[in-house]
Amino acid sequence: PDDLGRNVDLNLNVTTGNAVLQLPKNGETLSDSAGLEFPAAAYRTTITRADWNVAAKTIAMKGDVATSEFISMAPDQLGLRFNAAEALYEMEKMTLTLKGVPFIQSGDAKIIPNRGLVTVKQDAAIQPLAKAGLVLDTLNGYHTLADGNIRIISRKQFEGGATYLLARGKGDTTRLKMNNFEFVESTPEVLASTAKGKRSARTREPGGLMTTAAASVSEADKFFLTPRIRYRGDVVMRSPEPKLRFDGAV
């Protein structure tokens, strides 16, 4: 079957041919495995109620975005999970279309879908996110990027490119295209420099992992660090560090 529920009540309206899937309201906190499952899409949700349109072969769900999670059942996504306000599952397409997704955390990055829309196809395949925003790291929020074309692979890996928003002063921001996102082990230098920062046991990845990205600026790019200082060379972002690293010439 396209939909499986654990401890789910099914109420079928024989007149309309539609059904309501409802977790029992017994006042108990739901276990992490409770809820509706969509095996073809390899995702499950903690949303407790869904409307099944039998004729259209769709299942619609709405919930409180603060508590409504969608959790990957694909082992290679390493327990990837994120919140959403509503979703529509199309049985024939084996596709989940989610709305109201505030962000998806991959590595130590918050990836913000354009208009809060995310599509998950068969076998947990999250479709590439166009015009996505990114904030890194998830605790300090030192780095902000926009206009990303991002492919989320797992809880610890994503790839693509995005435009770094570099503040040069109050009300003055320049843009720099960055690529090659990697979630790598921090160097001793980075671990030492951030040891006194805000990184806590709850948010720090085991082994001191961090996201890096890079850009190469040529003379033709006409990139200015300030309105009067032109720069060419390499630029590296390390998520736990508040500033970019520049290796080039002005």
Side-chain angles (χ1 to χ4, degrees):
D2 292 285
D3 174 77
L4 295 176
R6 300 186 184 185
N7 303 317
V8 174
D9 293 332
L10 173 64
N11 296 310
L12 176 65
N13 186 319
V14 294
T15 303
T16 64
N18 295 331
V20 173
L21 302 169
Q22 176 78 58
L23 286 170
K25 296 181 179 179
N26 55 13
E28 298 179 1
T29 301
L30 295 175
S31 69
D32 191 51
S33 62
L36 306 175
E37 295 184 356
F38 305 94
Y43 262 77
R44 62 184 177 86
T45 180
T46 60
I47 290 179
T48 59
R49 185 185 187 281
D51 295 306
W52 180 10
N53 188 321
V54 178
K57 298 182 180 179
T58 61
I59 298 175
M61 297 149 276
K62 288 186 179 182
D64 183 348
V65 69
T67 57
S68 299
E69 286 190 299
F70 286 80
I71 302 136
S72 175
M73 299 188 296
D76 59 354
Q77 290 193 347
L78 305 176
L80 180 69
R81 60 200 300 155
F82 53 90
N83 292 51
E86 59 182 281
L88 180 71
Y89 181 67
E90 299 174 85
M91 294 180 177
E92 290 188 337
K93 296 180 180 180
M94 294 179 284
T95 298
L96 268 171
T97 301
L98 302 108
K99 298 181 179 180
V101 178
F103 65 88
I104 299 175
Q105 182 171 339
S106 178
D108 61 353
K110 285 185 178 180
I111 302 168
I112 305 167
N114 183 36
R115 296 186 295 152
L117 299 177
V118 174
T119 300
V120 180
K121 292 195 174 183
Q122 186 177 7
D123 298 327
I126 298 178
Q127 298 307 285
L129 303 177
K131 298 182 179 179
L134 295 94
V135 176
L136 303 99
D137 59 6
T138 51
L139 184 61
N140 299 297
Y142 288 140
H143 310 283
T144 301
L145 299 91
D147 298 327
N149 289 305
I150 303 297
R151 188 171 79 90
I152 297 175
I153 300 170
S154 73
R155 184 175 63 86
K156 291 188 176 183
Q157 185 181 6
F158 65 96
E159 62 184 18
T163 300
Y164 192 97
L165 305 180
L166 178 62
R168 300 188 298 190
K170 187 176 181 179
D172 183 13
T173 301
T174 190
R175 302 166 75 87
L176 178 64
K177 183 68 175 179
M178 284 196 149
N179 296 287
N180 303 320
F181 289 105
E182 291 185 279
F183 197 47
V184 300
E185 187 171 352
S186 294
T187 64
E189 177 189 3
V190 172
L191 288 173
S193 68
T194 59
K196 296 181 180 179
K198 300 178 181 177
R199 300 176 74 80
S200 68
R202 180 176 182 273
T203 57
R204 186 173 56 246
E205 287 286 338
L209 299 176
M210 65 179 179
T211 299
T212 65
S216 182
V217 180
S218 69
E219 189 74 29
D221 291 325
K222 298 180 181 180
F223 177 75
F224 288 83
L225 290 174
T226 73
R228 294 189 178 184
I229 299 178
R230 190 168 174 173
Y231 174 83
R232 69 180 185 278
D234 295 328
V235 185
V236 174
M237 180 203 74
R238 292 178 171 179
S239 57
E241 297 181 332
K243 296 181 179 180
L244 299 176
R245 294 184 172 221
F246 294 91
D247 184 11
V250 295

